Amino acid sequence: MNKNLVISGLSPEKNEENKGSAEFQVLCFTTKIRRLTSHLKLHKKDYSSQRGLRKILGKRQRLLVFLSKKNRVRYKELISQLNIRELKTR
């Protein structure tokens, strides 16, 4: 239900067709990351969840790099909507 609200905020004209887009995948990873970080605040020694969190963070970072190279405007909009930091440049 939460995904549907944010999906419509990302692209209202393609509500059902954008589930494979980079923006939607970053959105899903961000919700998973937020859920896992709140879980790890309670369970500090859950090492398998820590590993899963690191894997999801890496996937999201790769998707954001792809999006920033492909379309910088969409990347900036997505970062501002999701309240996440901008990527570090090398």
Side-chain angles (χ1 to χ4, degrees), residues 11-87:
S11 179
E13 61 272 1
K14 293 183 180 179
N15 199 5
E16 288 296 320
E17 298 174 7
N18 67 353
K19 292 187 178 179
S21 68
E23 291 95 345
F24 181 77
Q25 290 179 26
V26 169
L27 168 72
C28 290
F29 287 145
T30 303
T31 56
K32 284 183 185 180
I33 288 168
R34 289 181 178 151
R35 192 178 68 231
L36 273 174
T37 52
S38 66
H39 168 78
L40 286 171
K41 286 180 183 176
L42 295 174
H43 309 282
K44 296 181 189 308
K45 294 190 177 185
D46 189 356
Y47 299 116
S48 57
S49 291
Q50 288 178 7
R51 181 174 184 259
L53 176 64
R54 282 191 222 107
K55 288 180 80 161
I56 293 171
L57 283 168
K59 287 180 185 180
R60 184 179 76 173
Q61 183 178 9
R62 286 191 298 273
L63 273 172
L64 286 172
V65 166
F66 165 76
L67 190 61
S68 70
K69 287 180 182 177
K70 187 176 177 186
N71 192 341
R72 192 73 177 172
V73 175
R74 284 177 28 196
Y75 166 75
K76 292 280 190 182
E77 289 175 2
L78 183 66
I79 283 185
S80 65
Q81 283 179 350
L82 295 178
N83 274 345
I84 54 179
R85 288 183 292 189
E86 198 165 337
L87 294 172

